[in-house]
Amino acid sequence: MSFTFRLMLRDIRSGDLVTLLMALIISVSTVTSIGLFIDRLQLSFEQESANLLAADRLIRSDEGISNDWRVKAQDLGLQLAERTSFSTMMFANDALQLSQVSAVTDNYPLKGNFLVDDTLFGTGFAFNESPKTGEVWVSSRLASLLNIKIGDIVEVGDAEFSVAKYLVRDPGSSTSAFAISPRAVINLADLASTNVIIPGSRVRYSLLLAGARDELAQYEEWVTPQLKEGQRWRTPTQQGERIGDTIGRAESFLLLAGTLAVVMSGVAMALASARFVKRHLMQVAILKTLGATPKLLTKVFVQQLSVLFVAGALIGLAIGWGMQEIIASLLAGLMSTELPEPSISRLWLGASTGLVSMLVFCIPLMLRLIKISPLSVLQPNARIEQNTLFVYLIGFVGMYGLMCLYTNGFLLPSIMTVAILGISLLVAVIGWSIFKLGRSLTSGATSGWQIGLASLYRRLVPNLFQLLVFTLIIMLGLILVGVKSSLIADWQQQLPENAPNHYLFNVQSTQIDQINNETDNLNIERSDWYPMVRGRVTAVNETSVQELYPEERGEPELYERELNLTWSDTLGQGNELVSGDFNAEGLSVEQDVAKEANLSLGDELTINIGGNIVTLPITSIRTVDWGTMQPNFYLILPKSALQNYPANFVSSLFISEADAQPFYKTMSQFPTVSILNVGDVLKQIQTIIGQLSQAIQLVLFCILSAGALVLLASVRSTLEERLEEGALLRVLGARSALVRQALLIEFGALGLFSGLIAAIGAETCLYGLQVFVFNSEASFHPLLWLLGPLIGVCVISAIGIFASRTVLKVPPMLLLRGL
Amino acid sequence: MANSTAIKVTNLTHTVTSNTGNLTILKGINMEIQESESVAIVGSSGSGKSTLLGLLAGLDVNTSGDIFLYDQPFSSQNEETRALMRGQYVGFVFQSFHLLPSLQAIENVMLPAELKGDKDARKKAKELLDKVGLSHRLTHYPNQLSGGEQQRVAIARAFASQPKILFADEPTGNLDEENGNLIIKLLFDLNRSQGTTLVMVTHDNDLAKMCDRQLIMSAGHLTENKL
């Protein structure tokens, strides 16, 4: 065995290398477990969203799907299914009803399930097949409108179908929110025999794809340049903005958590390296007197660190993998779906965090260690030059680089770095002042109080450093707690339990009172009624939309299709005025669509409403909280402009499962009223939010545990001096109680001040994060101001006393001799 | 006996910079120490004895002048070469023992031989610990040994590399009389039996008198004490 390894084994025995190894393992395993877990969650979100899309990816087209597209998808090994949707009249007995029919292939849907039932107005069960040829599945409402039941025959165009199931939900159609005719599904093979699709029919063709991420990406790259007007590439995250937004924020949170884990790992490595170097200074000097050359020592340390890295990384990766499995299995009971397996390729993240923290924290210190003068053995003060600024700078740059690598961006790392710098400054100023004050108040140390407070100033620099570490760790914890609570509160607020889950459309003004009575009888909550008129924007500031977008490319949503228009004198629930005057005689435009179409106050829009042209200036801009699930509109017109048009009314209601059947039955009295059930979409969103909340709580717990370990490491790093002092005090006759009291005061004070400064820092960081990263409104977090100092005093005193218990138990002689 | 020159020093000057300005500790020292000689360097505290010892052993770099070991330039070499020459010629015994606390007694003694890649390091270390009377303490750690025992381990370690020159810095400074006498006996016995040149810094006049020569360090100058 070589000298390096013999030396290493002896170092392991003494525990010095173990501390370094532990730091490396903590660092690699924390980052790995969080990285892998985030990856699994992301995959899971994609799957959840894919269920809403019925596929991983989808191409929507107003024309038939090109056969080349199918061939290419098959070549890439992707699964494909198709859906063709159109409106048509359905006949049964003597009744007829305009319906929205989807014709689907046998393997539709690729993701998610149909929800069907055998009972009229039943709540449905998942069904993993599509209609067989000759079968039709009809929604309960369609069945009641046509007065048919299972087994009856309905006609669609030239073909006849037998009713096989009541359709509760078609997974791919749940978000095409305004297709309000009652629905039916048939097999695509039957479509031709109906002869309903003729040139000029309004048909929507969809090609659904599922498969591995890489192949999907390849396909996207191949197909997107070929897309023409009326053809769109859709991904699950585009589907349903609310889910996208929720997931986006959760990802930001997890990313933040991971970044903080990276910072904590850095702190752990820095502490362990500093301790290792401190304990090896004399060893290296002695080895030098014995003839060890700098070259040999460099070789020894490089080899030792390499072995350490490989061992630490392997153990850390294994523990990290295990930890995320544990998190996932803890979550399994709470998740409605099984989490997909993590990708092994994500392991590099943990390993490189370990490598970089080793390079930036360990190597510069090791190099200085090797440079120690052998003269130190004769003159202990002839140690190494204190070029600490350089070492810290390297550490800082390395940490910043790691965070950038981790988050794939600069914003979050920059906020964190500025915050840490600010905190360091604050700690230096506040810490120095307080320690100094403590010193001047306690001259002539006799009680534990006085000794404890006085030693804060006596070991000024190490204590300031420790204060910084404590502050950082507590601050990171508080930030996470703050972000977590406000995220979850935000989500819960966004989607209250009884958020409306049904919309009523096509209600005539004469039907409103009657429907109000019926819903009141059933105790169903209802939003206000909004009049609705269809209209299309044809010109902007007297320039026609065709002229503005001659090839119809990149047309903003506002001009692209016929819109639902309303009028109102008051701002509805979830609407907020951004600029202008809502009550002026002009248009009120939703902020996002105004931005997309580059519109501002004063611009004039020309709107074609059933052949009549109305031109109005924009007089106000609003934001709309779509999450309220209230009827909401891009354009609101003044009452004077719309009141003479025949309008339908729209409202939203919350219908519990128990109310569903009586409600549907009641509504069959109003055959012309359209009902849109968005309950399943909502349920899915609520499920995802529930999962996310659980997930981030667990991640938070992991990070805080890692934080506690770092705190312990930090206390241990200054333990020797405290042991020495405690032993001396006891030799000089101090009772154990006095030493314990002094230690308690010292750690308690460190904890209190770090908790307080951490609360200041966390509140500041939260402001930055809320405003810049999460794009939400800044809020004040009184809880943090209580938690910070409390955790500081309790946890740090506990850890301090636990770590220094030897000071109080071991005979002082033994301690002095060992030092 | 035709002794060769083990250490030769010419015009050795050493200046250090402190916050009160430059301070010249050694002022133009010239001396020669022959092979197998035992030499004591005495002088009051702060006279520069330890500085001289550090420079002779190549632990520090002098400001001007030259040091030769066995006619080879030593002080003018870089740290790498000096370390190699230390390993080849030099052994140390320190006032505060300087054993590695994480190593057992035997492992401390093995270190010099291991650094040279000697395969028999353990066997030799055992023999040496036997010679210093510590064969029953092989696997003890330094903090489990008394001061005298620790210094005996340090002596065993110093002789493990079979050095031609042994530097001792106040070897009995931290020991009681009984242990001190034991250590001195050991040092001189090994010095004689192995033909090692012994250069010792001490306060102890009795100990100094046991050496072949006594050099007195005073205000940066070195003079021979002719008894």
Side-chain angles (χ1 to χ4, degrees):
Chain A
M1 195 172 23
S2 78
F3 178 61
T4 304
F5 295 108
R6 277 199 302 268
L7 213 59
M8 198 168 168
L9 283 181
R10 292 167 192 167
D11 262 339
I12 289 174
R13 206 175 48 202
S14 76
D16 287 345
L17 267 180
V18 177
T19 313
L20 205 56
L21 187 69
M22 286 298 290
L24 189 63
I25 291 174
I26 290 178
S27 155
V28 175
S29 59
T30 318
V31 174
T32 304
S33 58
I34 291 171
L36 287 175
F37 184 64
I38 291 175
D39 185 49
R40 291 181 83 168
L41 276 181
Q42 270 171 343
L43 286 173
S44 156
F45 301 153
E46 263 176 43
Q47 280 184 4
E48 288 273 335
S49 324
N51 290 346
L52 291 181
L53 193 66
D56 287 332
R57 302 287 185 273
L58 184 144
I59 302 173
R60 209 187 66 192
S61 172
D62 294 345
E63 299 164 27
I65 301 290
S66 146
N67 200 42
D68 291 352
W69 294 0
R70 297 192 186 99
V71 173
K72 177 71 178 177
Q74 276 160 346
D75 286 350
L76 283 168
L78 297 171
Q79 294 177 51
L80 57 163
E82 291 186 41
R83 181 182 65 218
T84 305
S85 305
F86 52 93
S87 285
T88 189
M89 281 294 175
M90 285 179 89
F91 302 87
N93 308 323
D94 291 330
L96 78 168
Q97 173 64 41
L98 182 68
S99 348
Q100 182 74 25
V101 181
S102 293
V104 299
T105 48
D106 289 334
N107 57 348
Y108 178 93
L110 295 177
K111 299 279 159 152
N113 290 307
F114 277 107
L115 215 56
V116 296
D117 211 309
D118 296 323
T119 330
L120 197 66
F121 294 114
T123 47
F125 52 85
F127 195 60
N128 199 16
E129 286 170 31
S130 57
K132 298 188 177 64
T133 50
E135 277 182 12
V136 64
W137 298 351
V138 295
S139 64
S140 294
R141 203 161 68 84
L142 182 57
S144 68
L145 289 170
L146 289 173
N147 199 18
I148 48 173
K149 57 185 183 310
I150 287 184
D152 288 356
I153 300 295
V154 294
E155 288 171 40
V156 180
D158 295 345
E160 289 193 342
F161 294 88
S162 146
V163 177
K165 294 252 180 282
Y166 297 114
L167 174 69
V168 179
R169 181 168 62 100
D170 166 359
S173 62
S174 43
T175 47
S176 49
F178 291 89
I180 50 183
S181 308
R183 294 174 168 279
V185 190
I186 58 170
N187 194 292
L188 189 62
D190 289 333
L191 182 59
S193 62
T194 62
N195 287 321
V196 291
I197 295 184
I198 49 166
S201 303
R202 284 195 61 171
V203 182
R204 178 169 285 177
Y205 298 90
S206 303
L207 177 65
L208 296 93
L209 302 161
R213 271 197 268 193
D214 286 352
E215 278 74 37
L216 288 169
Q218 265 182 49
Y219 190 81
E220 180 181 4
E221 207 173 297
W222 177 82
V223 84
T224 22
Q226 307 176 37
L227 296 179
K228 291 181 294 203
E229 171 59 24
Q231 296 181 324
R232 282 186 182 220
W233 173 261
R234 310 218 48 133
T235 64
T237 29
Q238 289 167 343
Q239 194 76 1
E241 289 240 322
R242 266 185 306 277
I243 297 186
D245 208 36
T246 306
I247 292 176
R249 284 189 192 185
E251 282 179 358
S252 297
F253 172 85
L254 293 173
L255 213 54
L256 173 72
T259 314
L260 300 190
V262 170
V263 177
M264 283 192 198
S265 318
V267 174
M269 278 305 282
L271 286 171
S273 306
R275 180 180 147 92
F276 182 85
V277 167
K278 197 171 154 199
R279 292 179 58 107
H280 279 71
L281 280 175
M282 200 42 85
Q283 176 174 341
V284 171
I286 294 169
L287 283 171
K288 281 189 165 186
T289 64
L290 297 178
T293 64
K295 213 192 240 169
L296 176 79
L297 288 168
T298 310
K299 195 179 122 196
V300 166
F301 281 118
V302 167
Q303 284 179 342
Q304 284 196 353
L305 291 183
S306 308
V307 173
L308 197 70
F309 170 68
V310 173
L314 286 179
I315 300 174
L317 289 177
I319 293 180
W321 185 280
M323 266 161 53
Q324 63 82 25
E325 283 289 342
I326 293 172
I327 301 178
S329 67
L330 285 177
L331 268 186
L334 304 159
M335 292 258 189
S336 61
T337 50
E338 206 169 298
L339 276 181
E341 279 303 303
S343 17
I344 297 196
S345 59
R346 302 283 293 185
L347 287 178
W348 68 268
L349 197 64
S352 48
T353 304
L355 185 64
V356 174
S357 20
M358 196 139 183
L359 286 177
V360 298
F361 289 113
C362 230
I363 304 285
L365 282 170
M366 292 293 170
L367 288 179
R368 289 174 53 214
L369 178 60
I370 288 166
K371 278 192 187 149
I372 188 182
S373 163
L375 192 65
S376 311
V377 293
L378 294 178
Q379 297 170 4
N381 47 0
R383 293 207 167 167
I384 33 180
E385 75 278 26
Q386 292 293 314
N387 201 357
T388 36
L389 191 67
F390 175 68
V391 176
Y392 287 138
L393 200 68
I394 291 186
F396 231 91
V397 171
M399 224 55 290
Y400 182 74
L402 259 184
M403 288 196 276
C404 292
L405 184 82
Y406 193 81
T407 57
N408 227 344
F410 297 100
L411 183 62
L412 206 55
S414 304
I415 292 182
M416 294 311 299
T417 308
V418 170
I420 292 173
L421 278 177
I423 284 297
S424 309
L425 198 71
L426 207 62
V427 164
V429 173
I430 298 184
W432 184 82
S433 320
I434 293 174
F435 293 172
K436 190 153 178 158
L437 186 71
R439 174 74 181 159
S440 58
L441 289 177
T442 57
S443 52
T446 48
S447 72
W449 271 96
Q450 289 166 321
I451 296 172
L453 287 179
S455 53
L456 285 175
Y457 188 71
R458 204 164 46 245
R459 279 194 296 268
L460 184 65
V461 175
N463 272 336
L464 280 180
F465 183 70
Q466 192 142 55
L467 187 68
L468 177 63
V469 173
F470 290 163
T471 306
L472 278 181
I473 301 288
I474 297 177
M475 181 180 92
L476 298 184
L478 290 180
I479 291 176
L480 282 184
V481 171
V483 172
K484 188 215 77 171
S485 330
S486 61
L487 258 192
I488 293 180
D490 214 25
W491 286 336
Q492 279 166 350
Q493 201 180 348
Q494 244 181 33
L495 280 182
E497 287 246 320
N498 52 357
N501 54 4
H502 282 72
Y503 289 96
L504 297 182
F505 290 97
N506 286 342
V507 178
Q508 304 303 311
S509 51
T510 50
Q511 295 173 316
I512 291 180
D513 285 342
Q514 228 181 323
I515 295 179
N516 282 353
N517 283 338
E518 298 288 353
T519 49
D520 287 347
N521 287 342
L522 288 169
N523 273 330
I524 289 173
E525 276 181 56
R526 194 189 55 241
S527 77
D528 293 338
W529 289 97
Y530 291 85
M532 204 166 85
V533 171
R534 305 277 287 177
R536 192 179 187 113
V537 177
T538 54
V540 184
N541 295 329
E542 294 180 358
T543 314
S544 77
V545 170
Q546 278 103 324
E547 255 176 86
L548 283 171
Y549 301 94
E551 288 174 20
E552 299 188 359
R553 281 244 161 196
E555 212 176 6
E557 201 176 348
L558 200 59
Y559 310 150
E560 195 187 39
R561 58 181 171 87
E562 208 168 42
L563 302 169
N564 293 313
L565 310 172
T566 192
W567 70 84
S568 176
D569 299 330
T570 48
L571 267 178
Q573 200 190 331
N575 284 252
E576 211 170 299
L577 191 66
V578 179
S579 58
D581 174 10
F582 184 76
N583 291 318
E585 282 293 293
L587 293 169
S588 177
V589 189
E590 194 268 337
Q591 191 179 29
D592 289 339
V593 289
K595 213 188 243 173
E596 190 197 17
N598 205 12
L599 294 173
S600 48
L601 289 179
D603 285 332
E604 279 192 341
L605 296 185
T606 304
I607 305 167
N608 180 337
I609 305 168
N612 295 312
I613 305 297
V614 179
T615 300
L616 284 166
I618 297 175
T619 48
S620 72
I621 296 196
R622 296 163 287 130
T623 55
V624 170
D625 180 2
W626 300 100
T628 57
M629 307 301 287
Q630 304 286 329
N632 273 310
F633 299 86
Y634 285 151
L635 280 183
I636 299 180
L637 280 74
K639 191 173 180 184
S640 59
L642 283 186
Q643 63 183 349
N644 296 325
Y645 290 91
N648 304 313
F649 287 78
V650 57
S651 175
S652 59
L653 328 92
F654 171 72
I655 294 164
S656 67
E657 262 182 39
D659 289 340
Q661 220 154 347
F663 170 74
Y664 283 127
K665 277 188 183 146
T666 308
M667 289 310 290
S668 57
Q669 305 170 48
F670 308 95
T672 53
V673 172
S674 304
I675 305 170
L676 178 71
N677 178 355
V678 292
D680 298 304
V681 184
L682 279 185
K683 228 183 243 168
Q684 212 139 4
I685 297 174
Q686 270 157 345
T687 310
I688 292 179
I689 288 177
Q691 291 171 357
L692 285 177
S693 309
Q694 297 293 343
I696 63 176
Q697 311 231 31
L698 269 170
V699 168
L700 178 68
F701 175 76
C702 281
I703 301 260
L704 293 183
S705 317
L709 284 177
V710 176
L711 282 183
L712 186 65
S714 163
V715 170
R716 276 177 62 98
S717 68
T718 54
L719 200 57
E720 270 162 36
E721 280 173 56
R722 291 183 214 278
L723 286 174
E724 190 172 8
E725 196 173 290
L728 277 173
L729 278 172
R730 283 170 65 202
V731 170
L732 297 176
R735 285 168 300 113
S736 289
L738 181 83
V739 179
R740 188 185 296 121
Q741 195 188 5
L743 279 170
L744 205 58
I745 296 301
E746 192 180 346
F747 281 118
L750 275 175
L752 175 70
F753 296 128
S754 50
L756 271 175
I757 306 174
I760 301 175
E763 191 71 73
T764 318
C765 278
L766 280 171
Y767 178 82
L769 288 169
Q770 285 182 323
V771 173
F772 299 112
V773 179
F774 292 103
N775 296 321
S776 55
E777 263 180 52
S779 56
F780 179 68
H781 306 80
L783 181 69
L784 302 188
W785 295 85
L786 178 73
L787 268 185
L790 200 69
I791 290 177
V793 172
C794 299
V795 174
I796 290 175
S797 306
I799 291 180
I801 290 295
F802 170 76
S804 344
R805 64 196 184 286
T806 34
V807 180
L808 308 165
K809 283 192 183 150
V810 177
M813 187 60 213
L814 214 60
L815 279 169
L816 288 178
R817 193 187 273 183
L819 289 163
Chain B
M1 197 161 65
N3 284 349
S4 59
T5 307
I7 302 172
K8 183 178 172 188
V9 176
T10 56
N11 282 328
L12 184 71
T13 302
H14 193 56
T15 307
V16 292
T17 310
S18 68
N19 44 12
T20 52
N22 285 348
L23 181 68
T24 302
I25 300 174
L26 303 180
K27 300 169 180 166
I29 287 171
N30 292 289
M31 69 163 178
E32 280 188 15
I33 296 172
Q34 303 306 313
E35 191 170 33
S36 305
E37 246 185 337
S38 54
V39 176
I41 301 172
V42 293
S44 54
S45 287
S47 60
K49 307 184 297 286
S50 290
T51 306
L52 178 63
L53 191 80
L55 289 173
L56 292 180
L59 302 182
D60 199 3
V61 185
N62 52 299
T63 317
S64 66
D66 287 302
I67 302 168
F68 299 86
L69 296 190
Y70 288 90
D71 295 330
Q72 293 176 53
F74 184 48
S75 57
S76 56
Q77 304 288 359
N78 61 19
E79 167 63 18
E80 188 78 17
T81 315
R82 273 186 284 132
L84 282 173
M85 288 177 75
R86 268 200 303 274
Q88 190 182 349
Y89 294 116
V90 175
F92 281 100
V93 176
F94 305 103
Q95 177 176 5
S96 46
F97 326 134
H98 283 323
L99 298 178
L100 297 190
S102 57
L103 304 192
Q104 298 165 351
I106 186 157
E107 289 166 345
N108 264 292
V109 181
M110 283 160 68
L111 266 183
E114 283 182 322
L115 278 170
K116 285 182 179 172
D118 192 336
K119 295 254 184 281
D120 290 332
R122 181 168 288 269
K123 190 170 152 249
K124 287 178 180 164
K126 226 170 158 179
E127 285 167 13
L128 277 162
L129 281 170
D130 197 24
K131 269 188 196 167
V132 298
L134 287 176
S135 51
H136 60 298
R137 293 275 202 224
L138 299 184
T139 55
H140 284 60
Y141 287 93
N143 64 359
Q144 297 168 322
L145 299 172
S146 73
E149 287 172 328
Q150 288 190 52
Q151 192 62 304
R152 281 191 272 159
V153 175
I155 289 173
R157 182 179 69 185
F159 283 97
S161 58
Q162 294 167 308
K164 289 185 181 307
I165 308 166
L166 183 73
F167 291 105
D169 179 33
E170 305 271 13
T172 58
N174 274 349
L175 300 175
D176 58 38
E177 197 179 340
E178 191 185 333
N179 270 310
N181 291 337
L182 190 70
I183 292 300
I184 287 159
K185 187 172 174 316
L186 262 174
L187 263 183
F188 281 97
D189 285 353
L190 283 164
N191 165 235
R192 268 178 228 117
S193 65
Q194 302 207 2
T196 312
T197 310
L198 179 64
V199 181
M200 190 192 306
V201 164
T202 181
H203 273 107
D204 184 342
N205 279 332
D206 294 336
L207 178 57
K209 279 178 195 152
M210 294 171 72
C211 294
D212 300 334
R213 288 162 66 198
Q214 292 84 39
L215 304 175
I216 301 166
M217 192 82 212
S218 171
H221 296 283
L222 193 68
T223 49
E224 184 103 24
N225 187 20
K226 309 278 184 202
L227 291 172

